[in-house]
Amino acid sequence: MEDLTHVDAAGAVRMVDVAAKPVSARVAVAEGVVACSPEALRALSEGRLPKGDGLAVARVAGILAAKRTAELIPLCHPLALEAVDVALAVEDVVRIRASVSLHARTGAEMEALTAVAVAGLTVIDMVKALDRGASLRDVRVAAKSGGASGGWESGSRVVALPPAGVVTVSDRRARSAAPAMANVADLGAGACAPGLACSQPVPPAGADGTARPIHAHGQARSAAPAVGDVSGPLVAAALTRAGAASVTTRVVPDDVAAIREVVSELVAAGCRIVITTGGTGLAPRDVTPEALAPLLKWTIPGLAEGLRAAGAAHTATAALSRSVAGVLEDEGARALVVALPGSVGGVTDAMAYLGPLWAHIVDQLGGGDHPADAPDVTGAAAAVPRDVADPRVLRAEVGPAPIDAAALEASVHRASAGAVVTFTGVVRDHDGGRDVASLTYEAHPDASAELRRLCQDVLSRHPQVSSVAAVHRTGALRVGDVAFAAAVACAHRREAFAACGDLVDAVKAGVPIWKRERFADGTDEWVGA
């Protein structure tokens, strides 16, 4: 029963203890649809149901359900939700979308799903006088962020971890000869069985997100960890669950040269995350920090301190760990190198702490920049993440490519959309009575992200909109060129017009784009700078 997280040693179900997990900002988005007759849809949309305003009642029911999920689903933890948003759109079906956000040690997917399910059942209750055959379908998690497993969207990871390496540093000797083959399923995927010299990539996780068990082959050697030294395998399993493309495990003795050699080899072989376990204490043979120091181009003191603090929350001796973190560069490629203690509790706390950080770490290693409003996702005071993608935003781009307004309009069209409203902004030949010869647009590097956020804000204010797209051009433009285009699809024209106008106003006021106008008289001026 060891592989079943919600079953104890006796086979009884249990609620998982999440006390060791760090608090992080979490968002979950769920979707579902209610299918009902055209007559019921019309009455629901127009507020003419015998029971009253079905959309308003269903929205409130969904919010209440999210807050009481732990009372309905036996193994869910009671959570202090910070925001719940439930939106219903009447198209050829009733589309329901719920977003739940909070800061906690466990996620809110079940709360979002419960909100959708109860909102959908409420719709059925409200329309049953007109349609006894109404049905709730396709309730699913659309997106999530936060937590050890990172961000997901439509069942796929938002950010995949690159190849990783795990180095177990140990001077213990195997207490008995190792067998030629050892099953390491109970240690986590890709783990090296105690007593084996192993260097094997970890296979990808199975369809259910759990790591597949493998068999490790090898010969015993003096550097192999003793039975019970499983910190390295635990890290390998955690990296696999977090979505690492592959995980290679190594075992080395407490020796400066050996540690440096294997870490350098892993980075040269393509590992962009290397985690060592063991050798960070105060004993004479604890030399891992000294071995890594010359390899690091720069250190990350805040990450090392955060790891120590995460461990100290559960055991005071974590303060004695000399954990280090830094970046190693190999022929222009960057790798994160982290030294963790060798205890099971230490690596468990550390991997839980690193989980919410992986997306930003991967982005930074790849040369990404800090977004201006990047949330702190590690503590209780962090802001709610704003980067959970809404699949209804089909395009939100700021760049130099010419704009095809017709293609943009076609991209948002759906069979369920009764109206598609587009706006096309073109360069005119005058401004304030002065003749314009040409102009140039420049944008902040985060302009596309801000445009997407504004699109999502508009969708939250206009829940009946089924899809939206917006593109703004940068660079030198001539009179008559398209500078901006937006397209909005909705079941009804009035809401489509309102949403499109709202989006255009929001973009003009909020996207960091500046315009340099050149006039026919040879003068020029910046607008919005």
Side-chain angles (χ1 to χ4, degrees):
M1 295 295 181
E2 293 181 3
D3 292 335
L4 303 178
T5 60
H6 288 66
V7 177
D8 64 19
V13 296
R14 65 176 180 179
M15 188 168 74
V16 171
D17 184 354
V18 298
K21 293 185 177 182
V23 171
S24 66
R26 298 168 183 263
V27 174
V29 180
E31 295 176 338
V33 299
V34 173
C36 50
S37 67
E39 178 189 6
L41 288 172
R42 284 193 299 271
L44 180 65
S45 177
E46 297 169 5
R48 296 187 294 101
L49 293 173
K51 288 189 173 184
D53 189 343
L55 295 177
V57 174
R59 186 177 300 113
V60 173
I63 294 171
L64 289 174
K67 295 191 291 184
R68 305 191 69 172
T69 299
E71 300 176 29
L72 303 171
I73 312 296
L75 302 184
C76 283
H77 295 76
L79 299 177
L81 306 183
E82 295 166 1
V84 180
D85 180 69
V86 179
L88 295 94
V90 180
E91 302 172 5
D92 55 336
V93 292
V94 182
R95 299 193 182 277
I96 307 169
R97 183 178 178 86
S99 175
V100 177
S101 59
L102 75 161
H103 290 74
R105 290 183 168 87
T106 188
E109 294 96 317
M110 292 309 304
E111 283 69 18
L113 289 167
T114 301
V116 170
V118 172
L121 292 174
T122 303
V123 170
I124 292 175
D125 178 59
M126 298 296 289
V127 304
K128 66 184 181 183
L130 300 178
D131 182 7
R132 295 286 181 181
S135 61
L136 175 63
R137 306 173 184 173
D138 302 328
V139 177
R140 65 184 184 90
V141 175
K144 70 168 287 287
S145 70
S149 62
W152 291 77
E153 183 178 333
S154 300
S156 301
R157 290 185 182 277
V158 174
V159 176
L161 267 61
V166 179
V167 181
T168 301
V169 179
S170 176
D171 62 353
R172 293 192 240 173
R173 310 256 176 180
R175 288 197 285 264
S176 61
M181 179 182 293
N183 193 322
V184 296
D186 57 344
L187 299 183
C192 286
L196 297 182
C198 173
S199 176
Q200 281 195 202
V202 175
D208 60 354
T210 60
R212 299 191 186 102
I214 65 167
H215 288 80
H217 300 262
Q219 299 297 321
R221 68 178 183 185
S222 61
V227 174
D229 189 353
V230 297
S231 58
L234 287 175
V235 172
L239 288 168
T240 301
R241 289 192 298 270
S246 63
V247 182
T248 302
T249 60
R250 298 286 187 88
V251 180
V252 297
D254 277 312
D255 177 78
V256 169
I259 296 170
R260 289 178 184 170
E261 180 180 5
V262 73
V263 169
S264 298
E265 286 178 357
L266 288 170
V267 175
C271 292
R272 293 298 166 253
I273 297 171
V274 177
I275 297 179
T276 70
T277 71
T280 63
L282 305 180
R285 289 188 60 82
D286 288 334
V287 295
T288 302
E290 289 72 24
L292 296 179
L295 301 179
L296 303 179
K297 183 170 183 179
W298 61 80
T299 60
I300 313 174
L303 186 56
E305 292 303 321
L307 291 167
R308 268 188 288 275
H314 303 101
T315 175
T317 57
L320 301 178
S321 171
R322 297 187 301 125
S323 296
V324 296
V327 174
L328 185 156
E329 282 197 340
D330 178 66
E331 297 183 356
R334 294 176 171 183
L336 174 72
V337 179
V338 180
L340 301 180
S343 67
V344 170
V347 298
T348 300
D349 293 338
M351 297 310 292
Y353 175 82
L354 288 169
L357 304 178
W358 285 130
H360 196 55
I361 288 172
V362 170
D363 178 62
Q364 291 285 287
L365 290 175
D369 195 10
H370 295 277
D373 58 353
D376 172 8
V377 297
T378 61
V384 174
R386 301 162 70 184
D387 59 350
V388 175
D390 189 320
R392 294 175 295 171
V393 181
L394 303 182
R395 289 183 68 186
E397 301 169 6
V398 177
I403 297 173
D404 186 338
L408 196 70
E409 176 182 346
S411 72
V412 303
H413 182 69
R414 298 291 183 272
S416 60
V420 176
V421 173
T422 62
F423 171 83
T424 304
V426 300
V427 178
R428 62 190 180 197
D429 64 0
H430 66 282
D431 187 9
R434 304 169 68 184
D435 293 336
V436 174
S438 65
L439 55 80
T440 300
Y441 282 101
E442 293 188 6
H444 189 276
D446 294 333
S448 291
E450 184 64 14
L451 178 57
R452 175 169 290 276
R453 187 188 69 80
L454 291 174
C455 287
Q456 295 186 172
D457 287 349
V458 168
L459 287 171
S460 69
R461 295 192 291 270
H462 303 274
Q464 292 188 24
V465 171
S466 57
S467 54
V468 62
V471 181
H472 202 298
R473 190 175 176 186
T474 58
L477 277 71
R478 299 171 297 181
V479 172
D481 284 345
V482 177
F484 173 69
V488 172
C490 189
H492 305 289
R493 69 180 187 279
R494 182 170 299 176
E495 188 73 4
F497 277 117
C500 190
D502 189 2
L503 176 59
V504 172
D505 291 342
V507 169
K508 185 174 179 63
V511 178
I513 297 175
W514 305 279
K515 176 174 64 176
R516 182 182 183 183
E517 290 185 314
R518 296 178 180 83
F519 300 103
D521 60 7
T523 61
D524 65 81
E525 69 177 34
W526 284 95
V527 178

